[in-house]
């Protein structure tokens, strides 16, 4: 276990302490039913509860042991192979050159035991990535270095460009911190992450306990009985007390919601540190579940800057990198979840992107597009208005004015919203990148490297063809980039320029010529 | 098949290369004439289904106890007209709407009657290439060329209705441009 057996082609097991994690996890699972049985039966059920709990732990541990025993991994010359399965065996092989990222994840239990889960991200859709849980921290780090070296060797062998230099193999390279979030920033962040998810969790928990307790949680009579017995009669109170009661419950809701958001932010983002290393961007975060992700810089396809309604008023934005790798189910890596624009700019710059500034040559969508989408949205209200107008004039003429008026006002509002949205929907091309921005109340923008686009499509429906505009779809690896309502001439220009950039660096020409 | 191949070859670029100069607005190259036939075969099947449905509806209405205002044959007649339209007009319109253009470093694919799409794929970004032939395509000497890119949008761009020889030739020439073909 301790020898530096990197080059051995032997199948190996993961760390034996994995079984211990399985034991602890099943103990965790056993706690709730045990408690529920104990209390549900008024304490007498303890005799039942303890064997049940013990059985859950024993079964869980047994399965953890079997699956640990049956899972082996092999570090081969050109790939990593994992074989697993108790009854049905499965073997998966991932070539080094297809591994996008190696990330380390530590949940609470493994962390206490000094273990990590190593995830090899391949960019395959549907979470079909390779993951090894669990290895010791040192072994995980070692494996990550190894995979990176192997992959870079392959990269160098395949794509050695004339005159290209390979960076010297810096092992633990010096890192330059780019962005970090202290407790104070997290506190501010938490304030904006209002969430009522806790109520959903409580309801779920209640339902779970419900199946063990002998009173009916969902039975209205049970609660009514409780209220009748213990609570003062609400209807007997005067108006002031009722208002105070409502205010109190609303503020309780607000407090609980804010607290939930706060707790979630602190758990997810604690110790947030983004660094620029020789190999790419390294992000570490997490309070109980620690994650450590490295994004190679050349795999960043584009960036997205987003915000939300309220935080935008205070100048807070988020920055993510678009790449083929997956990040906790999301398709892009958040590198600055909560930052001011002047903090975001240097990060974007480090990744080779420049934020649009004063001199940006913004182009709006076609005016025909504005008109057509305003009409289309207004029709949603105007058609019902016509129908309701005719119907009400037959059956109750006194309501006709009101109904038609309300719908017409709504149609007008939607038209105004369209104009506003149009004013903020724009795109720009510069020497190396393409920028698209939209949104009035919470503007978001997207920047892609022109060189890293894979295809350009100009799409038109019957109306847009008649009216002379088109949607430009850009093929981006791991992301979606579409600009709607571009005048046809401009769409052709955008495509021509993007294609020029791509064609200028035709790798095949380098190779054959 | 040999005659068709020659006929289409005559309408294409002169022999040495299938690649033209880069001009994204240039005239499109038409697909193989047999492609019209292929789409028409599909349309005949669809038209037949429509006809059968029309007949069935007509028959069902006649069987009703209450006499219907629509005389027998009207729905079948409408279905026949629709089927004929689908069989005669649609394949022709689709054929005319489709086209491609292959130049030194890119392939442009245009398609769609109502919803037009005009896609350019640079050879330098192609991951791998497929040449597929269904049974009817094989009988007609046609093939579908599919280019796979790493982009999420347009992850695969397919160009149906090429002569099989031409499709294979295009694959070989494009492949020469690809740095890493294996995926």
């Amino acid at each position: 276990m301790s020898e530096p057996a990197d080059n051995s082609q032997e199948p190996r097991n993961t760390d034996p302490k994995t079984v211990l994690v399985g034991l602890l996890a099943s103990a965790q699972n056993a706690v709730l039913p045990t408690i529920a049985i104990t209390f549900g039966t008024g304490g007498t059920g303890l005799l039942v509860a303890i064997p049940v709990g013990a059985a859950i732990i024993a079964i869980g541990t047994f399965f953890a042991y079997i699956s640990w025993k049956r899972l082996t991994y092999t570090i081969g010359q050109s790939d990593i192979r994992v074989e697993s399965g108790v009854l049905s065996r499965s073997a998966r092989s991932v070539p080094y050159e297809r591994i996008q990222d190696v990330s380390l994840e530590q949940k609470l239990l493994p962390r206490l035991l000094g273990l990590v889960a190593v995830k090899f991200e391949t960019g395959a859709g549907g979470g079909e990535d390779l993951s090894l849980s669990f290895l010791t921290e040192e072994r995980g780090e070692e494996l990550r270095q190894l995979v990176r070296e192997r992959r870079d060797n392959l990269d160098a062998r395949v794509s050695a460009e004339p005159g290209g230099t390979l960076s010297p193999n810096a092992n633990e390279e010096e890192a330059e911190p780019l962005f970090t979030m202290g407790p104070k920033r997290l506190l501010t962040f938490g304030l904006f992450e209002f969430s009522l998810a806790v109520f959903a969790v409580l309801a779920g928990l209640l339902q779970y306990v419900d199946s063990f307790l002998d009173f009916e949680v969902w039975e209205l009579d049970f609660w009514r009985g409780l209220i009748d017995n213990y609570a003062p009669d609400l209807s007997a109170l005067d108006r002031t007390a009722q208002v105070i009661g409502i205010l109190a419950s609303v503020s309780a809701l607000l407090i609980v919601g804010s607290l939930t958001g706060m707790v979630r932010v602190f758990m997810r983002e604690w110790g947030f540190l983004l660094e620029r290393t020789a190999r790419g961007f390294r992000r570490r975060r997490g309070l109980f579940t620690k994650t450590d992700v490295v994004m190679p810089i050349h795999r960043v396809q584009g960036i997205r800057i987003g915000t939300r309604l309220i935080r935008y008023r205070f100048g807070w934005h988020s920055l993510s990198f678009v790449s083929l790798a997956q990040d906790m189910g999301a398709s892009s890596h958040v590198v600055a979840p909560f930052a001011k624009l002047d903090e975001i700019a240097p990060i974007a710059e480090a990744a080779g992107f420049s934020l649009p500034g004063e001199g940006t040559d913004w182009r709006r969508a076609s005016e025909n597009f504005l008109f057509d989408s305003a009409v289309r949205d207004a029709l949603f209200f105007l058609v019902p208005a016509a129908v309701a107008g005719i119907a009400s004039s037959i059956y109750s003429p006194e309501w006709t004015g009101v109904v038609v008026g309300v719908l017409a006002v709504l149609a007008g509002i939607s038209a105004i919203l369209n104009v506003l949205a149009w004013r903020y929907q724009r795109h720009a091309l510069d020497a190396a990148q393409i920028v698209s921005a939209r949104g009035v109340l919470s503007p978001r923008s997207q920047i892609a490297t022109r060189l890293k686009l894979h295809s350009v499509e100009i799409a038109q429906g019957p109306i847009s063809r008649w009216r002379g505009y088109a949607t430009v779809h850009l093929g981006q690896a791991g992301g979606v980039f579409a600009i709607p309502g571009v005048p046809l001439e401009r769409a052709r220009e955008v495509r021509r320029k993007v294609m020029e950039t791509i064609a200028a660096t035709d790798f095949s020409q380098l190779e054959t010529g | 098949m040999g005659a068709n191949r020659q006929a289409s070859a005559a309408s294409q670029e002169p022999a040495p290369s299938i690649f033209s100069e880069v001009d994204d607005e240039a005239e499109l190259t038409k697909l193989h004439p047999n492609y019209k036939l292929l789409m028409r075969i599909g349309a005949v099947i669809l038209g037949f289904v429509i006809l059968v449905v029309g007949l069935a509806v007509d028959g069902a209405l006649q069987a009703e106890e209450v006499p219907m205002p629509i005389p027998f044959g009207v729905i079948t007649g409408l279905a026949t007209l629709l089927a004929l339209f689908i069989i005669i007009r649609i394949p022709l319109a689709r054929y005319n709407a489709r086209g491609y253009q292959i130049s030194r470093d890119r392939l442009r694919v245009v398609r769609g009657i109502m919803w037009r799409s005009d896609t350019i794929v640079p050879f330098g970004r192609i991951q791998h290439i497929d040449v597929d032939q269904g049974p009817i395509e094989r009988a007609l000497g046609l093939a579908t060329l599919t280019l796979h890119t790493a982009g999420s949008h347009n992850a695969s761009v397919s160009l149906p209705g090429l002569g099989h020889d031409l499709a294979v030739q295009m694959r070989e020439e494009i492949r020469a441009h690809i740095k890493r073909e294996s995926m």
Side-chain angles (χ1 to χ4, degrees):
Chain A
M1 202 52 224
S2 57
E3 78 276 23
D6 283 343
N7 295 321
S8 74
Q9 304 266 343
E10 297 289 298
R12 301 152 58 105
N13 281 109
T14 51
D15 195 89
K17 275 184 284 192
T18 306
V19 182
L20 204 57
V21 176
L23 190 152
L24 290 174
S26 45
Q28 208 178 11
N29 287 341
V31 165
L32 229 87
T34 313
I35 292 175
I37 292 173
T38 312
F39 283 96
T41 53
T44 53
L46 203 65
L47 287 174
V48 186
I50 287 181
V52 166
I56 292 176
I57 295 174
I59 293 170
T61 312
F62 177 71
F63 278 109
Y65 173 75
I66 290 286
S67 50
W68 169 75
K69 191 75 190 155
R70 299 286 284 171
L71 189 143
T72 58
Y73 68 97
T74 314
I75 309 296
Q77 280 304 316
S78 60
D79 63 353
I80 293 185
R81 286 187 298 280
V82 172
E83 294 189 34
S84 65
V86 180
L87 294 174
S88 58
R89 298 286 282 171
S90 78
R92 172 169 289 173
S93 146
V94 178
Y96 290 122
E97 58 175 335
R98 288 292 168 240
I99 297 176
Q100 303 277 336
D101 276 2
V102 184
S103 59
L104 306 178
E105 189 183 272
Q106 280 189 305
K107 293 219 166 76
L108 181 60
L109 281 178
R111 195 172 162 203
L112 293 175
L113 296 166
L115 299 175
V116 286
V118 183
K119 285 188 178 160
F120 304 96
E121 297 179 4
T122 58
E128 284 293 304
D129 280 331
L130 193 68
S131 138
L132 282 176
S133 46
F134 299 93
L135 303 176
T136 55
E137 279 164 357
E138 305 86 69
R139 180 78 188 130
E141 193 59 48
E142 204 179 312
L143 201 56
R144 170 143 97 171
Q145 286 302 335
L146 179 85
V147 168
R148 264 185 222 153
E149 278 160 24
R150 294 260 162 100
R151 192 189 61 203
D152 289 354
N153 286 343
L154 277 169
D155 272 355
R157 204 181 63 214
V158 180
S159 68
E161 293 175 14
T165 52
L166 197 67
S167 59
N169 196 2
N171 208 5
E172 255 316 307
E173 61 280 303
E174 73 284 10
E176 171 203 344
L178 276 177
F179 182 65
T180 176
M181 294 201 297
K184 215 178 131 196
R185 173 66 61 91
L186 289 181
L187 205 68
T188 327
F189 188 10
L191 286 178
F192 289 99
E193 286 281 289
F194 181 81
S195 157
L196 291 175
V198 69
F199 291 104
V201 173
L202 275 181
L205 206 63
L206 215 55
Q207 202 158 29
Y208 178 73
V209 173
D210 182 34
S211 51
F212 287 98
L213 301 184
D214 52 5
F215 68 79
E216 293 296 305
V217 178
W218 303 113
E219 203 63 63
L220 205 63
D221 286 339
F222 170 78
W223 293 106
R224 196 170 287 153
L226 264 186
I227 290 168
D228 283 347
N229 287 339
Y230 300 109
D233 192 356
L234 268 184
S235 53
L237 296 173
D238 59 12
R239 184 57 59 84
T240 344
Q242 280 179 351
V243 169
I244 290 172
I246 289 167
L247 281 180
S249 33
V250 166
S251 46
L253 210 65
L254 284 175
I255 290 168
V256 170
S258 308
L259 269 180
T260 319
M262 196 72 81
V263 168
R264 288 197 337 175
V265 163
F266 269 83
M267 291 212 316
R268 194 178 61 219
E269 312 286 359
W270 180 258
F272 190 100
L273 175 63
L274 179 77
E275 290 171 318
R276 174 82 174 87
T277 68
R279 299 217 168 270
F281 294 92
R282 182 178 190 189
R283 188 198 66 193
R284 279 174 278 186
R285 66 174 182 182
L287 185 58
F288 298 122
T289 301
K290 261 177 107 169
T291 60
D292 182 351
V293 183
V294 174
M295 293 155 266
I297 187 163
H298 63 280
R299 297 198 192 254
V300 178
Q301 310 281 328
I303 61 174
R304 286 165 180 275
I305 299 170
T307 185
R308 299 249 186 97
L309 192 62
I310 298 169
R311 67 188 65 172
Y312 173 60
R313 307 284 147 229
F314 298 88
W316 297 108
H317 297 262
S318 71
L319 175 71
S320 1
F321 285 167
V322 177
S323 79
L324 269 179
Q326 301 272 316
D327 183 19
M328 300 171 88
S331 60
S332 45
H333 287 282
V334 180
V335 288
F338 195 69
K340 298 275 186 191
L341 274 181
D342 56 352
E343 290 171 317
I344 285 178
I347 307 174
E349 208 166 297
F353 295 91
S354 54
L355 299 189
E358 297 291 310
T360 307
D361 176 24
W362 286 113
R363 301 297 179 89
R364 290 220 180 106
S366 145
E367 280 171 28
N368 285 350
F369 171 73
L370 163 67
F371 182 81
D372 295 349
S373 36
V375 166
R376 188 195 59 213
D377 289 357
L379 278 180
F380 276 112
F381 298 104
L382 290 180
V383 170
V387 172
I390 293 166
S392 62
S393 64
I394 294 169
Y395 296 108
S396 52
E398 66 275 16
W399 284 100
T400 308
V402 178
V403 169
V404 173
V406 165
L407 285 168
V409 166
L410 285 176
I413 290 173
S414 86
I416 292 168
L417 286 179
N418 260 300
V419 174
L420 271 176
W422 177 78
R423 288 181 58 86
Y424 285 87
Q425 181 187 324
R426 43 198 193 156
H427 68 274
L429 273 173
D430 65 20
Q433 56 190 27
I434 179 162
V435 190
S436 153
R438 59 201 306 190
V440 186
L441 298 173
S442 56
R444 11 182 221 293
S445 51
Q446 196 176 1
I447 307 178
T449 317
R450 273 157 66 168
L451 189 59
K452 283 179 182 161
L453 296 173
H454 296 260
S455 64
V456 190
E457 176 184 345
I458 296 177
Q460 289 182 296
I463 294 173
S464 55
R465 208 138 58 96
W466 173 46
R467 305 278 288 157
Y469 55 87
T471 303
V472 179
H473 292 281
L474 302 167
Q476 190 183 35
V480 177
F481 201 128
I483 314 172
V486 185
L488 192 57
E489 277 312 304
R490 171 70 177 167
R492 293 221 172 99
E493 188 192 341
V494 166
R495 184 169 73 172
R496 202 185 63 242
K497 287 192 171 164
V498 170
M499 287 302 301
E500 267 167 21
T501 319
I502 299 175
T505 344
D506 188 352
F507 299 112
S508 58
Q509 295 297 320
L510 289 173
E511 205 168 280
T512 55
Chain B
M1 188 212 142
N4 275 328
R5 172 87 193 98
Q6 270 176 357
S8 68
S11 68
Q12 276 152 15
E13 282 83 13
S17 174
I18 52 170
F19 300 118
S20 65
E21 274 311 297
V22 176
D23 177 9
D24 292 337
E25 311 308 323
E27 196 67 18
L28 293 167
T29 311
K30 286 268 167 242
L31 295 168
H32 197 284
N34 277 359
Y35 185 50
K36 254 182 290 188
L37 198 59
L38 179 73
M39 287 191 291
R40 193 151 283 159
I41 292 170
V44 165
I45 295 168
L46 181 63
F48 183 72
V49 170
I50 290 172
L51 204 61
V52 168
V53 169
L55 267 171
V57 170
D58 237 354
L61 288 181
Q62 290 310 306
E64 289 281 320
E65 309 251 322
V66 190
M68 294 302 289
I70 310 166
F72 181 75
V74 170
I75 291 178
T76 312
L78 286 175
T80 313
L81 284 179
L82 181 63
L84 283 177
F85 178 75
I86 288 175
I87 293 168
I88 296 168
R89 282 299 305 167
I90 299 281
L92 204 64
R94 282 176 74 188
Y95 179 78
N96 287 332
R98 279 178 186 244
Y100 69 94
Q101 188 195 341
I102 186 163
S103 44
R104 191 166 38 73
D105 58 3
R106 64 191 72 170
L107 176 70
R108 175 174 174 223
V109 178
V110 178
R111 62 187 155 77
I113 306 170
M114 297 289 272
W115 278 269
R116 279 185 81 75
S117 108
D118 182 342
T119 309
I120 296 185
V121 185
F123 294 159
R125 298 291 179 276
I126 293 170
Q127 300 278 331
H128 58 265
I129 314 167
D130 291 337
V131 173
D132 298 319
Q133 274 190 307
I136 305 173
E137 280 181 308
R138 200 152 66 194
L140 294 172
L142 295 176
T144 301
L145 180 78
T146 309
L147 307 179
H148 297 267
T149 74
S152 303
H153 184 84
N154 276 331
S156 63
V157 176
S158 61
L159 176 58
L162 293 169
H164 184 247
D165 298 344
L166 179 62
V168 170
Q169 189 192 354
M170 275 165 78
R171 180 185 66 190
E172 294 308 317
E173 303 227 4
I174 294 171
R175 209 177 66 178
H177 284 254
I178 301 177
K179 188 180 57 157
R180 258 193 276 174
E181 200 196 354
S182 69
M183 181 68 190

